[in-house]
Amino acid sequence: MATELYSLTVPVFTRGLTALSAILDKAAAHAAETGADADALLALRLIGDMNPFSKQVQTACDSAKLCVSRLSGVAAPVMDDSEATLDQLKARIRATLDYLASVPRDAIDGQEGREVVLTFPGGEMKFLGQAYVIDFALPNFYFHLTTAYALLRADGVPLGKRDYLGGR
């Protein structure tokens, strides 16, 4: 029996990105209430050699869209990583959600054996579709989603687990 890779990917990414968008709304509201510059949040880092908040959001979006593209063969939108405001990050999330919604289930389901090759400066990683989703794409997505949440939480934005989970 085929794994329903669509069910393991698109709804999961959609829930996470929708929650992330709502988290950005809370960050903007918190900045307005405290008189802080909301767009200064984009530079937050856990440590100097780690990517900033803006890159965490960008990479969460990229993780979702590239996973779906690699499985389905449907080209993902190219985004230039130039977002400089919370509103621009929200627009990126919206564009990613629109792309995810455009990919039909039957383009993803049944792709358990599809070869996925990721190329990095130091080499490459090869997967088959199901292993790619479970062992790389989902953990990578959640890493960046969690890091974005943690950066805002550590900066004082009043977030809780329900915000991360998407209000469930």
Side-chain angles (χ1 to χ4, degrees):
M1 179 169 113
T3 304
E4 293 184 351
L5 286 182
Y6 183 94
S7 295
L8 292 175
T9 56
V10 174
V12 173
F13 296 142
T14 298
R15 184 208 47 81
L17 292 173
T18 300
L20 182 57
S21 184
I23 285 169
L24 294 184
D25 290 339
K26 280 196 163 189
H30 178 72
E33 290 169 11
T34 62
D37 177 7
D39 296 330
L41 297 170
L42 277 70
L44 292 175
R45 296 175 187 261
L46 290 176
I47 192 163
D49 67 350
M50 193 170 193
N51 284 323
F53 175 78
S54 59
K55 188 66 173 174
Q56 302 302 329
V57 174
Q58 292 164 347
T59 306
C61 290
D62 289 350
S63 296
K65 74 176 182 168
L66 292 175
C67 173
V68 168
S69 179
R70 289 174 180 135
L71 292 173
S72 69
V74 177
V78 176
M79 299 172 182
D80 65 4
D81 296 347
S82 63
E83 295 85 5
T85 67
L86 286 178
D87 285 341
Q88 290 172 348
L89 286 174
K90 283 184 57 76
R92 183 187 185 112
I93 293 168
R94 172 55 33 217
T96 304
L97 289 168
D98 290 346
Y99 166 73
L100 295 177
S102 77
V103 177
R105 174 183 281 277
D106 62 2
I108 297 172
D109 282 347
Q111 298 301 317
E112 297 82 9
R114 182 183 195 119
E115 184 176 53
V116 176
V117 180
L118 306 179
T119 304
F120 300 101
E124 64 182 25
M125 297 174 74
K126 293 183 180 184
F127 299 93
L128 294 181
Q130 183 173 334
Y132 167 65
V133 169
I134 294 169
D135 297 336
F136 186 85
L138 289 174
N140 190 55
F141 175 73
Y142 279 118
F143 173 85
H144 294 287
L145 190 67
T146 301
T147 302
Y149 168 90
L151 284 166
L152 293 178
R153 184 70 183 101
D155 199 58
V157 176
L159 299 170
K161 190 173 188 178
R162 285 186 180 218
D163 296 303
Y164 176 84
L165 294 175
R168 290 186 163 203

